[in-house]
Amino acid sequence: MREFLLVILCYLIGSIPFSYIISRQFGRVDIRQRGSGNVGATNVLRTMGIGYALLSAVGDILKGVVAAWIALQAGGGVLLLLCPLAAVVGHCYPVFLKFKGGKGVATSAGALLLLTPAVLGWLFLAFVASIIIFRMVSVGSITAAVLVPFLTIFLYPHQPFVITLTLFLALLVTYRHRDNINRLRNGTEPRIGEKA
């Protein structure tokens, strides 16, 4: 029962829509009606600028950090899988916004920051390199999602629950980018500086 309640708590933490809150409070806009319509820091960057985007990203990252911290404090084990995953699912499908949320990248990064910092370091390099080369945040996010389970298996081979977590995160983040993948195939995915 305790474990179930902790997972629900992490889902609710993940459901806090920082991009929506920040855009409403500081910009008086509904981020769901701007740009790509995605409730995430990248859409805030496109529509409101880097300052608000950074605030949104920090909030989303903290959700993952808090969920991973709760799992560690509760004794680890299967909670290392369930708590961070619940937070990312909450970010993607938030109960407070009728289950229409972001893509889970920043919240996933927050969990990895606490659980697999070495993996996150390599992912950050891959993310930045992809963005520099292609000038598309989506390409960086998808690249990181694909790499995360392989890096985790290599760098943390004795952490089965964390490895399983990264497999689920990779699948979820890639699935949440399915529209971006279709636009990439069609050559219509906007680059940084272009309107969504």
Side-chain angles (χ1 to χ4, degrees):
M1 187 66 180
R2 171 174 167 269
E3 287 77 9
F4 175 76
L5 292 175
L6 288 175
V7 171
I8 295 299
L9 173 63
C10 289
Y11 169 78
L12 293 174
I13 290 169
S15 288
I16 300 170
F18 283 106
S19 295
Y20 174 81
I21 293 168
I22 288 166
S23 63
R24 287 292 264 187
Q25 290 299 311
F26 296 105
R28 300 288 186 247
V29 298
D30 185 343
I31 197 67
R32 299 171 297 178
Q33 306 302 321
R34 298 291 180 93
S36 66
N38 182 57
V39 185
T42 301
N43 197 31
V44 175
L45 174 64
R46 287 196 188 106
T47 59
M48 296 180 63
I50 192 167
Y52 296 120
L54 286 174
L55 278 176
S56 300
V58 168
D60 290 342
I61 289 168
L62 284 174
K63 294 190 292 190
V65 170
V66 170
W69 180 84
I70 288 172
L72 289 169
Q73 294 302 307
V78 72
L79 290 177
L80 294 175
L81 163 62
L82 297 178
C83 285
L85 183 60
V88 177
V89 170
H91 175 82
C92 296
Y93 304 100
V95 65
F96 306 123
L97 292 181
K98 299 179 180 178
F99 305 103
K100 296 180 181 178
K103 296 182 178 176
V105 176
T107 306
S108 296
L112 297 176
L113 179 63
L114 214 60
L115 299 177
T116 60
V119 168
L120 187 63
W122 285 107
L123 291 178
F124 180 75
L125 291 176
F127 177 78
V128 171
S130 298
I131 291 175
I132 290 171
I133 294 168
F134 297 101
R135 290 183 50 235
M136 298 179 194
V137 175
S138 60
V139 173
S141 299
I142 295 165
T143 299
V146 170
L147 289 175
V148 65
F150 298 103
L151 287 169
T152 306
I153 290 168
F154 180 72
L155 294 171
Y156 296 87
H158 304 299
Q159 296 286 340
F161 291 118
V162 177
I163 289 170
T164 306
L165 168 67
T166 61
L167 288 168
F168 279 111
L169 293 180
L171 291 171
L172 180 57
V173 170
T174 302
Y175 174 75
R176 294 293 292 171
H177 280 83
R178 63 195 183 279
D179 291 337
N180 303 87
I181 292 169
N182 287 332
R183 288 194 296 269
L184 286 166
R185 287 174 176 165
N186 298 330
T188 57
E189 178 74 349
R191 297 179 186 272
I192 293 173
E194 297 176 353
K195 294 293 184 183

